[in-house]
Amino acid sequence: MPAVQIKICGLTTRAALDAAIEARADYCGFVFYPPSPRTLGTAAAHELAAHAGTRIGKVGLFVDPDDALLAESVAAGSLDVIQLHGSESPARAADIRARFGLPVWKAVAVAAAGDVARADAYGGAADLVLFDARTPRGALPGGMGLKFDWSLLAAYRGTLPWGLAGGLAPGNVGAAIAATGARLVDTSSGVESAPGAKDPDLVRAFCAAARAA
């Protein structure tokens, strides 16, 4: 069975990026969404991307972005993947994928079984769906440490590869993988000491726990 892939999202410092690379995470996430405490400007994204080089995949997280923000951010962050975390339709996801020539991951907010079924609509439009916990109306769309009932994923029969996010931390990522069979796990607040402040020790612990699952 292939190894579980690991994404550490919302990195804002070299120390956190180095911890992710040293712990053999597969992807780092750069957030391009100003309401988030983890958001990056283009200069900061460029600096981190240059430091990372090709040692880790670089995923840009966007919420209902326009093409101008995407173009600026893809260039600044030398992005390998575009992650859409808003209300983007399958048509919009497909357009972004074609326009920028990069893989597109679409986050799907989950609170009930019907939410999981929504992922089917993105077949042919996205390269991967990321099942994440639905957050309260008016709150950030992710990165709040909320988890959902993992048993809901047992009903997923879609053709798209998928990953798991939402409330994952060093102490529960192994159980999450065992319960769901996820082949990619994504964490942000679960490896922080405060909102937006990644803890290198927690980053390393998360990666070790995911690798051991």
Side-chain angles (χ1 to χ4, degrees), residues 143-212:
M144 296 183 64
L146 302 177
K147 64 187 278 292
F148 63 93
D149 180 356
W150 299 326
S151 70
L152 295 173
L153 295 180
Y156 180 60
R157 296 291 183 269
T159 58
L160 280 173
W162 59 273
L164 179 64
L168 298 181
N172 69 4
V173 67
I177 293 167
T180 66
R183 306 316 305 162
L184 180 145
V185 289
D186 185 348
T187 188
S188 184
S189 62
V191 292
E192 291 180 343
S193 56
K198 293 292 183 290
D199 182 322
D201 288 338
L202 290 177
V203 170
R204 286 187 280 266
F206 182 89
C207 293
R211 297 269 182 228

Side-chain angles (χ1 to χ4, degrees), residues 119-139:
D120 292 344
Y122 291 89
D127 297 271
L128 177 143
V129 290
L130 185 67
F131 293 112
D132 199 355
R134 182 177 297 280
T135 60
R137 185 179 298 275

